[in-house]
Amino acid sequence: MGALFFTLITLLFLDFTGAAHAWFGWMAKVQLVPAILAGSFVIIAVLALLTLVFGRVYCSVICPLGVCQDVVSWTAGRVQKKRRFSFSPALTWLRWGFFSLFVVALLVHVEAVKSLLEPYSAYGRIASNIFAPIYRLGNNGLAFLAERADGYAFYPVTVWVKSGVTLAIALLTLLVVGFLAWRGGRTYCNTVCPVGTLLGFVSKYSLYKPVIDPQKCTKCSQCARVCKASCIDYKEYSIDHSRCVACMNCLDKCKFDALHYTVKRPAKVQAEAAAGGAAVSETTEGGISRRGFLAVAGMVAAANTLKGQAPEIVDGGLAIIEDKKIPDRETAVVPPGSQGSRHMKVHCTACQLCVSACPNDILRPSSKLSTFMQPEMAFEKGFCRPECTRCSEVCPNGAIRRITPAEKSSVQIGRAVWIKENCVVNVNGDTCTACQRNCPTGAIALVPRADGDELKIPVVDTEACIGCGACEYVCPARPLSAIYVEGLTRHRTI
């Protein structure tokens, strides 16, 4: 089940057609922190109940960064050909230290800390910045071969680095998490991850837990040697359930039927059993097999169908303009549905799902510390097409609320600003009507530069402009456009 979730969530960041989001977009919405930020109380309640009944199944099945650690750990086991784990005491002070840091970052909106520690977002950046380009290069290779065979099953797509800083952070995250998983399994999950710490606290009180039967245990240590959470102290017949991720590897490995996934017995009864002074009831009664447990865990999924097919990208009748520079905006332009830069800052965890899904290549991670790695819009490679609402459809945490194309056309996310010193009409004395012809709302008019002058310059109706960036994109001025979009702190309806 975990492998299935992991594969499908990864596909959300790789797919550029929108088909994966239509079927599996709900998987991003059942991640814990995005659900909290989106105010999805039903999802939060289901995840809490799941943990209270079955333990930390979220970490083993739903969290992609957790499953990613399992993939690395499993690979390490195949390479090293030995059982690599053993019991180690919990670093409680470090776990709660990272958790406290994360909570403070959420409360005071320190976006860099929040984005770096949130596990789903950390994996999202890895998939979006590392896996997605490789996936697209593979697609382009197949498109090349298909073209030579007169086939059209594949089509080439653009492959480019949207943010060098974010790529470096994604690589560093992958290296750190991968190294810890290679060496010690779920070390990152049980030491750094704030979600793991929170769910670990809840899972201490879960109904079902792996339990060691002292009367059957021979202290062979096989369970501890396969425990990727390093939480089984077989010598004391105890399991640290705050770190146990309910992977069930120990149950599969025990040859003496001494481990069962069942209702945990009171500590007093277990202590007496370990000392041989009390009769131990049969622990297999009421237990759940691994297959049955995973089947129950799979019932948390509830599909929400999302629309989406990649709209065709066109350039408004002009050749594609290359080598443009992004202007220095006083306020970043954020997508329609985000309600403005403040709402985006508070709710976004910088998972990069919208950046990966954007068919127009206008979303990229911010390099500003105050909005670090959160999406903002730039128009040197495209503009925000009025009929496209893909980013609002895929956002899992409510940072970009879902809107319709009709609603989008009436939302003002910014205003166009004309820079007369850059305009080719003033610089070269050429006639240019690009911005006026391509404005989808008719917010740009051309007026004579002076009385009796045949050359015309643009004038922007700021009440009609929605900030889509079409004018900035098609402007032929180099390296900076003569007209650009300045973002709004708070979006407004026009």
Side-chain angles (χ1 to χ4, degrees), residues 223-244:
C223 55
R225 293 170 67 183
V226 298
C227 178
K228 57 195 174 189
S230 300
C231 66
I232 300 179
D233 185 359
Y234 67 93
K235 296 179 181 179
E236 299 295 330
Y237 308 108
S238 67
I239 299 175
D240 182 354
H241 294 107
S242 71
R243 289 186 289 160
C244 175

Side-chain angles (χ1 to χ4, degrees), residues 2-339:
L4 179 62
F5 256 83
F6 177 73
T7 301
L8 295 178
I9 289 179
T10 302
L11 186 60
L12 294 180
F13 291 91
L14 306 184
D15 177 52
F16 49 83
T17 68
H21 291 280
W23 290 97
F24 310 116
W26 59 270
M27 290 187 171
K29 298 180 185 296
V30 299
Q31 304 298 317
L32 182 58
V33 174
I36 292 174
L37 293 177
S40 302
F41 298 109
V42 173
I43 294 176
I44 297 170
V46 170
L47 293 178
L49 181 61
L50 186 71
T51 306
L52 283 171
V53 175
F54 300 111
R56 283 175 58 184
V57 296
Y58 174 92
C59 299
S60 282
V61 178
I62 300 175
C63 178
L65 190 65
V67 181
C68 181
Q69 294 174 67
D70 291 344
V71 172
V72 174
S73 180
W74 179 86
T75 304
R78 293 299 179 272
V79 172
Q80 297 177 1
K81 302 295 184 181
K82 64 179 182 180
R83 304 295 179 186
R84 302 166 294 118
F85 307 120
S86 60
F87 174 75
S88 61
L91 299 175
T92 304
W93 65 272
L94 190 58
R95 296 172 69 187
W96 286 104
F98 276 114
F99 178 81
S100 301
L101 179 64
F102 179 73
V103 172
V104 171
L106 278 178
L107 295 177
V108 301
H109 309 306
V110 181
E111 308 311 318
V113 175
K114 178 180 73 174
S115 301
L116 287 173
L117 291 180
E118 204 282 306
Y120 165 73
S121 298
Y123 180 76
R125 290 189 293 273
I126 293 172
S128 177
N129 293 277
I130 301 175
F131 300 159
I134 297 173
Y135 178 84
R136 292 193 173 201
L137 286 173
N139 170 83
N140 290 351
L142 293 174
F144 176 81
L145 297 176
E147 183 182 357
R148 297 301 181 273
D150 294 327
Y152 300 95
F154 300 91
Y155 58 90
V157 293
T158 304
V159 182
W160 59 293
V161 177
K162 298 180 180 179
S163 170
V165 174
T166 306
L167 174 61
I169 291 175
L171 284 169
L172 181 61
T173 303
L174 181 61
L175 289 174
V176 170
V177 174
F179 173 77
L180 293 176
W182 188 276
R183 291 284 302 273
R186 286 293 187 114
T187 302
Y188 182 91
C189 196
N190 281 328
T191 306
V192 178
C193 179
V195 174
T197 299
L198 175 62
L199 295 180
F201 174 77
V202 177
S203 67
K204 290 171 63 175
Y205 307 99
S206 63
L207 179 63
Y208 284 93
K209 297 182 176 77
V211 177
I212 299 176
D213 184 345
Q215 289 192 336
K216 294 183 178 180
C217 180
T218 63
K219 295 187 178 181
C220 68
S221 79
Q222 289 300 311
C223 55
R225 293 170 67 183
V226 298
C227 178
K228 57 195 174 189
S230 300
C231 66
I232 300 179
D233 185 359
Y234 67 93
K235 296 179 181 179
E236 299 295 330
Y237 308 108
S238 67
I239 299 175
D240 182 354
H241 294 107
S242 71
R243 289 186 289 160
C244 175
V245 294
C247 66
M248 311 302 175
N249 289 346
C250 55
L251 273 68
D252 289 346
K253 192 64 179 177
C254 183
K255 299 179 180 179
F256 304 99
D257 196 34
L259 270 162
H260 300 94
Y261 185 67
T262 185
V263 178
K264 188 178 185 298
R265 291 168 296 168
K268 181 179 179 180
V269 175
Q270 186 164 339
E272 291 176 350
V280 182
S281 60
E282 194 63 40
T283 58
T284 55
E285 183 179 352
I288 301 178
S289 67
R290 182 178 185 179
R291 181 176 300 177
F293 157 73
L294 292 178
V296 173
M299 295 176 65
V300 300
N304 296 317
T305 302
L306 298 177
K307 298 180 181 179
Q309 284 296 327
E312 181 184 2
I313 302 174
V314 297
D315 59 16
L318 296 178
I320 295 176
I321 300 173
E322 302 290 346
D323 301 323
K324 278 201 171 186
K325 291 184 179 180
I326 302 176
D328 186 15
R329 312 179 206 272
E330 291 185 9
T331 303
V333 187
V334 293
S338 63
Q339 304 179 30

Side-chain angles (χ1 to χ4, degrees), residues 344-372:
M344 172 69 78
K345 179 179 178 180
V346 171
H347 290 82
C348 180
T349 60
C351 72
Q352 314 286 292
L353 187 56
C354 59
V355 176
S356 297
C358 179
N360 304 306
D361 288 331
I362 62 172
L363 288 179
R364 67 277 320 273
S366 170
S367 58
K368 300 175 183 176
L369 189 60
S370 60
T371 56
F372 193 50

